[in-house]
């Protein structure tokens, strides 16, 4: 007899858009995956990756049980043996070489997995190492640092009110491919087009004419890494043309005069030389920001992962503040989530530069060092050298700058354990891999992205399938390892309750809970009664009541701003003769380094080539489709070049996350894909000098026939 057809609703966890899905199953079979039309946030939208959730679930390459590396073979071992071996090795490395000899690297999918978030601190608390790293410093660290300095909390991140804005300036983001970031915005195409339909405009600043730029009212090419000149020139214009209007924030601003001083000399004419955008266009963007009611400036990866990443994110906040675009409808506002509502006294505000890394003295942020120094901390001998590593849901060999040095660093360790689903470029170096269950086998509540969404909603996602026998969820692995380490160290340990219990407490104690006197009196059980999610209303101004700074004011000028302004004044963003500037690229059918093992997503036209302007090809006497060698300070790779008018002259674009053809990678389909790793070229010494965040964009390279 055939099993019954079952319809389930859950959010997709693959990217920040958290689209609601309607999934039909019959027994163990997936019949269809569609958009959930009744999800109040995503309204039925999905992308091509949603269907691949089933490929991931059924992938024969996905690990289900712990494995141990013996020579170049992997052997299945029991969970007990795995926990024991891992704990013994970590504890003995610390006993021999000090607590900091064990390092921890947490990758991006942790943020998409609530059990990893609720239980993530278990190992850190027990191991007490200062060598913590994560994908944050390959990405959005400047956003957190700026929010921490200005608003007093690293998670006080103003989000564009895309559904009400009349003018949106998008800098270094390509939401049509990424589906939005630090702006949870499913169905972004419709929402951007809606701006135009209601008579508004949106403008894109990007060295490539992206999918997003294609539908924008205006697109300006910009020389990679030069955005700080553009943004400072906009600030300059706002003051020079008397356009500053700080609205209801006026009384709360600390250091406004100093901001004006920083902008002295950053004329639109200087910015034109540096960025390639006409001075008059720069002035007009400043005027549009100031003169449009409900305007917002939004900048993401492209401006965060560059040499002035922090200064750019700071300047974006300043532009919003000066143009009456912060904490107003149509501008940028902070969200009101059911869990993790940021307010004074809230945990995890952050701290910065309290200590520094051993080898190159990079600052910690909230207890983490920038991942750009992980390899050197392993490879450089001396007291405090890292000898053992835990990776959890991360692939730094493909995702960190100078991936080849990361690769050799990992093979140099005394011990490595990975909590991961695959044997990939990074985890092949592990001694033990502990695989968690897949997303469809556990429940989920989105801890991170309701907090960053353009509209307040909440939803609980039940598991679709029962976890297979003898498998463990990420949070159970963390509890299991924690217990074993605690036993060896002879310290007290109480396993953390399941994530749903922790979330329920947070929701009940949150702003929609009974404790706060809210009429909804939300509990997790009440949220469960709404399988499509629950609408909690649009974003509303609230920042003034929620500032977490000790002064209770908006601190416009952190200590690090002035020195960085001086650095900018002494910078020339133009490349030297013969060099091109390398940038990255995302595609909607890919997701960082780990979704190339599903035929459905990799089929069709290859998407890993180097894009280059025809004029730059001609200058080098190269043909379209030729095999070229790309050389940077740290390495070289050879790949196919594709002529494209969509990249600015002087710029080349290569996506990250490829380069799977390496010995020992056990991802069958991925390993058949051509394409090299962009991070074999990016430079671990090329960083945002304030935060240490990786500067993936604007890396100088030379290109010639292979
Ligand atoms: N399909 C897909 N979706 C994803 C991901 C993925 O890999 N694939 N990754 C997810 C993750 S982890 C993140 S963080 C988000 C990122 O989300 P986004 O920030 O939207 O990411 P990108 O598509 O990389 O957009 C960055 C843009 O900046 C441009 N750029 C490069 N250099 C510069 C510069 O110097 N100045 C300016 N102004 N622009 C520049 C690039 O050309 C690119 O179009 O996407 C998430 N969503
Ligand atoms: N050149 C260049 N480099 C970049 C970027 C760029 O734009 N250009 N983007 C950067 C950005 S924004 C980011 S966020 C980083 C990402 O960097 P990383 O987080 O290091 O890399 P991912 O590719 O996301 O690797 C995810 C890993 O998690 C595993 N995984 C997936 N789901 C789960 C799960 O539920 N549990 C566990 N335990 N493991 C899981 C996968 O198998 C894979 O090994 O890359 C950065 N690197
Ligand atoms: S846009 Fe993101 S969340 Fe939505 S279906 Fe695609 S991968 Fe999933
Ligand atoms: Mo990211």
């Amino acid at each position: 007899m055939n099993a019954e057809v079952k319809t389930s609703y859950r959010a997709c966890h693959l990217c920040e858009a958290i689209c609601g899905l309607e999934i039909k199953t019959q027994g163990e079979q997936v019949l269809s995956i569609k958009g959930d039309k009744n999800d109040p946030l995503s309204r039925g939208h999905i992308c091509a990756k949603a269907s691949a959730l089933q490929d991931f679930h059924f992938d024969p390459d996905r690990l289900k049980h712990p494995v141990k590396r013996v020579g170049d073979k992997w052997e299945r071992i029991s969970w007990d043996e795995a926990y024991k071996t891992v704990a013994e090795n970590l504890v003995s490395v610390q006993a021999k070489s000090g607590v900091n000899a064990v390092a921890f690297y947490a990758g991006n999918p942790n943020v998409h997995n609530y059990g990893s978030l609720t239980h993530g601190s278990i190992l850190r608390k027990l191991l007490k190492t200062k060598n913590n790293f994560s994908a944050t410093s390959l990405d959005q660290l400047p956003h957190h640092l700026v929010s921490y300095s200005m608003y007093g909390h690293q998670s006080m991140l103003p989000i564009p009110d895309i559904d009400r804005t009349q003018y949106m300036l998008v800098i270094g983001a390509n939401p049509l491919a990424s589906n939005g970031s630090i702006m949870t915005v499913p169905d972004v195409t419709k929402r951007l087009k809606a701006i135009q339909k209601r008579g508004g405009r949106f403008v894109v600043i990007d060295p490539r004419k992206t999918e997003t730029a294609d539908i924008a009212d205006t697109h300006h090419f910009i020389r990679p890494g030069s955005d700080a000149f553009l943004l400072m020139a906009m600030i300059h214009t706002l003051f020079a043309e008397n356009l500053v209007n700080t609205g209801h924030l006026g009384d709360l601003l600390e250091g406004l005069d100093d901001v004006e001083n920083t902008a002295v000399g950053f004329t639109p004419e200087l910015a034109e030389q540096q960025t390639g955008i006409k001075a008059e266009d720069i002035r007009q963007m400043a005027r549009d920001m100031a003169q449009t009611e409900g305007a917002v400036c939004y900048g993401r990866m492209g401006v965060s992962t560059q040499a002035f990443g922090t200064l750019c994110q700071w300047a974006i906040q300043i532009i919003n503040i000066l143009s009456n675009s912060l904490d107003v409808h149509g501008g940028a506002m902070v969200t009101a989530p059911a869990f993790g509502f940021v307010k004074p006294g809230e945990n995890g505000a952050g701290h910065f530069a309290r200590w520094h890394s051993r080898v190159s003295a990079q600052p910690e942020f909230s207890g983490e060092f920038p991942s750009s120094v992980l390899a050197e901390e392993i490879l450089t001998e001396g007291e405090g050298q890292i000898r053992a590593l835990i990776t959890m849901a991360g692939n730094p060999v493909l995702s960190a700058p100078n991936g080849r040095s990361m690769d050799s660093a990992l093979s140099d360790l005394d011990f490595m354990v990975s909590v991961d689903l695959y044997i990939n470029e990074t985890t092949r170096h592990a001694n033990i891999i502990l695989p968690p269950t897949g997303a469809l086998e556990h429940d989920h509540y989105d801890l991170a992205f309701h907090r960053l969404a353009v509209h307040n909603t909440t939803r609980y996602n039940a598991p679709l399938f029962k976890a297979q026998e003898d498998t463990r969820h990420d949070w159970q692995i963390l509890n299991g390892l924690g217990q074993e380490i605690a036993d060896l160290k002879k310290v007290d340990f109480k396993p953390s309750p399941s994530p749903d219990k922790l979330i329920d407490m947070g929701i009940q104690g949150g702003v929609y809970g009974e404790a706060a006197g809210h009429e909804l009196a939300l509990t997790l059980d009440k949220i469960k009664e709404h399988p499509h999610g629950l609408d909690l209303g649009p974003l509303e101004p609230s920042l003034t009541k929620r500032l977490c700074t000790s002064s209770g004011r908006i601190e416009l000028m952190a200590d690090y701003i002035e020195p960085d302004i001086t650095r900018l004044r002494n910078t020339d963003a133009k490349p030297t003769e013969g060099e091109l500037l390398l940038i990255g690229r995302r595609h909607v059918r890919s997701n960082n380094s780990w979704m190339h093992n599903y035929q459905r997503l990799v089929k069709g036209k290859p998407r890993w080539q180097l894009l280059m302007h025809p004029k730059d090809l001609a200058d080098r006497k190269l043909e379209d489709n030729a095999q070229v060698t790309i050389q940077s300070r740290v390495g070289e790779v050879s790949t196919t070049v594709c002529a494209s008018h969509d990249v600015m002259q002087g710029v080349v674009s290569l996506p990250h996350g490829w380069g799977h053809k390496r010995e020992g990678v056990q991802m069958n389909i991925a390993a058949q894909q051509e394409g090299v790793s962009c991070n074999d070229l990016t430079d671990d010494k090329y960083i945002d000098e304030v935060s240490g965040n990786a500067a993936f964009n604007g890396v100088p390279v030379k290109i010639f026939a292979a």
Side-chain angles (χ1 to χ4, degrees), residues 471-671:
T471 59
R472 304 280 187 278
H473 305 308
D474 277 286
W475 63 270
Q476 291 174 321
I477 295 174
L478 290 165
N479 267 342
L481 274 180
Q483 183 71 63
E484 206 67 44
I485 292 170
D487 287 351
L488 281 178
K489 291 197 164 197
K490 300 194 170 48
V491 295
D492 281 342
F493 179 78
K494 225 175 98 210
S496 292
S498 56
D500 57 326
K501 297 211 170 58
L502 298 171
I503 297 307
D504 189 29
M505 287 195 300
I507 289 169
Q508 294 201 35
V511 282
Y512 304 93
E514 200 171 17
H518 197 280
E519 56 184 6
L520 285 174
L522 272 192
T523 62
L524 193 59
D525 278 341
K526 283 195 185 161
I527 295 175
K528 286 180 185 171
E529 290 165 15
H530 303 268
H532 308 285
L534 189 60
D535 194 337
L536 298 173
L539 305 187
E540 291 299 338
S542 66
L543 181 68
T544 54
K545 285 174 255 142
R546 291 167 61 185
L547 290 168
C548 301
T549 49
S550 50
S551 60
R553 296 163 64 76
I554 297 178
E555 296 290 346
L556 298 177
M557 293 293 296
D559 294 346
Y560 51 75
I561 293 299
E562 282 201 16
D564 221 40
I565 291 282
T566 306
R567 181 167 70 100
L568 184 66
R569 291 189 199 282
N570 296 320
T571 293
D572 186 356
K574 297 190 286 295
T576 49
E577 181 76 31
E579 282 181 342
L580 295 158
L581 298 178
L582 176 70
I583 62 166
R585 179 164 92 241
R586 282 180 161 75
H587 191 282
V588 72
R589 303 183 81 88
S590 175
N591 192 23
N592 294 325
S593 76
W594 68 280
M595 293 201 70
H596 298 145
N597 210 41
Y598 319 123
Q599 200 56 47
R600 192 190 310 261
L601 294 182
V602 292
K603 70 180 183 206
K605 272 201 314 211
R607 289 180 275 271
W608 40 258
Q609 301 102 321
L610 181 77
L611 300 186
M612 187 166 174
H613 193 277
K615 171 91 177 28
D616 289 325
L617 278 171
D619 286 351
R620 288 165 182 73
K621 304 197 167 45
L622 293 169
E623 304 270 324
D624 184 15
N625 237 351
Q627 198 58 20
V628 295
T629 295
I630 319 169
Q631 206 173 57
S632 73
R633 186 189 76 85
V634 306
E636 65 174 51
V637 297
S638 289
T639 192
T640 311
V641 69
C642 214
S644 168
H645 285 277
D646 289 342
V647 280
M648 186 177 177
Q649 256 187 53
V651 175
V652 285
S653 163
L654 189 70
H656 74 287
W658 298 89
H660 307 293
K661 285 194 177 189
R662 299 183 194 211
E663 213 178 309
V665 171
Q666 296 194 14
M667 299 179 76
N668 236 307
I669 296 173

Side-chain angles (χ1 to χ4, degrees), residues 13-19 41 45 47 49 108 112 139-140 143 159-160 162 168 170 172-189 191-192 212 298-301 448-449 452-454 586-588 590-592:
H13 72 295
L14 291 172
C15 87
E16 298 183 36
I18 56 170
C19 301
L41 182 64
H45 175 265
C47 82
K49 288 187 292 301
N108 166 278
H112 298 267
D139 184 354
Q140 82 285 4
H143 294 253
I159 306 302
I162 193 170
M168 186 160 173
V170 177
N174 184 14
L176 262 65
S178 69
N179 283 296
S181 184
I182 314 206
M183 171 171 72
T184 283
V185 61
D187 207 7
V188 67
T189 310
R191 291 181 202 255
L192 285 169
T212 309
Y298 162 74
R300 211 23 216 108
M301 263 295 290
F449 301 111
L452 304 177
V454 299
R586 282 180 161 75
H587 191 282
V588 72
S590 175
N591 192 23
N592 294 325

Side-chain angles (χ1 to χ4, degrees), residues 56 105-110 113 116 135 138-139 300-301 392-396 398-400 419-422 424 427 436-437 442 474 584 586 591-594 656 678-679 682 696:
F56 162 74
Y105 173 86
N108 166 278
N110 287 301
N113 180 328
S116 309
L138 306 175
D139 184 354
R300 211 23 216 108
M301 263 295 290
M392 177 142 187
N395 191 2
L398 293 193
S399 55
V419 183
D420 206 290
L421 300 147
Y422 287 103
N424 64 19
T427 61
T437 53
H442 57 75
D474 277 286
R586 282 180 161 75
N591 192 23
N592 294 325
S593 76
W594 68 280
H656 74 287
C678 179
N679 287 324
T682 58
F696 292 123

Side-chain angles (χ1 to χ4, degrees), residues 136-146 304 310 365 370 691-693:
T136 291
S137 52
L138 306 175
D139 184 354
Q140 82 285 4
L141 174 55
H143 294 253
H144 295 305
L145 176 54
V146 165
S304 185
T310 299
F365 181 77
S691 66
N693 201 48

Side-chain angles (χ1 to χ4, degrees), residues 48-116:
K49 288 187 292 301
S51 284
L53 282 172
Q54 56 191 303
D55 306 333
F56 162 74
H57 182 74
F58 296 111
D59 189 350
D61 291 337
R62 176 155 75 88
L63 297 173
K64 308 267 165 46
H65 307 285
V67 287
K68 170 167 103 176
R69 183 161 50 81
V70 184
D72 54 6
K73 297 261 182 325
W74 292 91
E75 281 175 10
R76 179 173 170 176
I77 55 173
S78 70
W79 286 98
D80 282 347
E81 182 187 343
Y83 289 156
K84 228 182 164 59
T85 313
V86 172
E88 279 169 5
N89 277 281
L90 296 179
V91 171
S92 88
V93 165
Q94 285 195 318
K96 188 169 148 223
S97 312
V99 284
N100 296 329
V102 171
F104 189 90
Y105 173 86
N108 166 278
N110 287 301
V111 192
H112 298 267
N113 180 328
Y114 89 138
S116 309

